[in-house]
Amino acid sequence: MYEPIFALFCERVKESIQAGTFAKLTLAKTMGDTEIKNIYFRLVLNEDNTFSISLTSRYKTEEIESIHTLDEALLVLGSYIKKPFLTALLFTTDNDVTFKVNKKNAGSIIEQPPTFKNASPVMLEMIEKGIV
């Protein structure tokens, strides 16, 4: 089962935000031809100097954005694993962390050198304001 590995992946997401290294997160690689194409996970700075997560779900014909707490956003992402997404990609300034689930329902995490040299602009603003 992939759930324990996905839980580890979610911890890595939280750690990257706490450490100020978060750059980007996306779900990709769907099973078959689906209406939904990908989901983007972005940090949003609130007026009260807290942060939320914007989830942008990109479909064939439209995009839908929803705002969540960090824990809610991770639950939403988890609900899309295997239904239909097989891959979640976390980009941090330390490394790229890829969560994959295979046909046998086994999860894995692969780390690679970072794609991004800088954290997301909102992450940088959160660091500057002492939010993280």
Side-chain angles (χ1 to χ4, degrees):
M1 298 299 283
Y2 67 84
E3 287 87 353
I5 306 295
F6 186 71
L8 286 174
F9 178 80
C10 290
E11 284 305 309
R12 297 294 296 275
V13 174
K14 291 178 181 180
E15 288 166 7
S16 74
I17 293 170
Q18 290 164 349
T21 63
F22 179 87
K24 183 177 159 182
L25 192 154
T26 186
L27 293 187
K29 295 200 177 155
T30 58
M31 295 192 328
D33 186 23
T34 58
E35 278 300 307
I36 190 164
K37 291 298 169 194
N38 46 27
I39 299 176
Y40 297 107
F41 175 112
R42 289 185 306 117
L43 297 172
V44 178
L45 195 55
N46 300 321
E47 288 180 15
D48 63 355
N49 281 342
T50 60
F51 73 93
S52 297
I53 305 299
S54 162
L55 292 180
T56 303
S57 302
R58 182 172 289 160
Y59 295 85
K60 284 182 179 177
T61 57
E62 65 181 336
E63 283 186 9
I64 299 173
E65 182 181 20
S66 55
I67 304 294
H68 304 273
T69 66
L70 177 57
D71 287 335
E72 288 169 353
L74 292 171
L75 281 173
V76 171
L77 291 184
S79 72
Y80 283 99
I81 299 298
K82 294 267 307 184
K83 308 174 225 126
F85 294 101
L86 300 174
T87 304
L89 302 158
L90 168 64
F91 299 93
T92 75
T93 56
D94 291 337
N95 50 26
D96 293 353
V97 182
T98 304
F99 167 81
K100 290 184 179 184
V101 61
N102 67 18
K103 290 177 184 169
K104 294 181 181 173
N105 225 23
S108 63
I109 291 178
I110 300 159
E111 292 189 28
Q112 295 175 300
T115 300
F116 293 93
K117 301 220 181 324
N118 298 312
S120 75
V122 173
M123 180 87 265
L124 295 173
E125 191 176 345
M126 288 166 57
I127 293 167
E128 192 176 293
K129 292 185 175 188
I131 296 168
V132 292

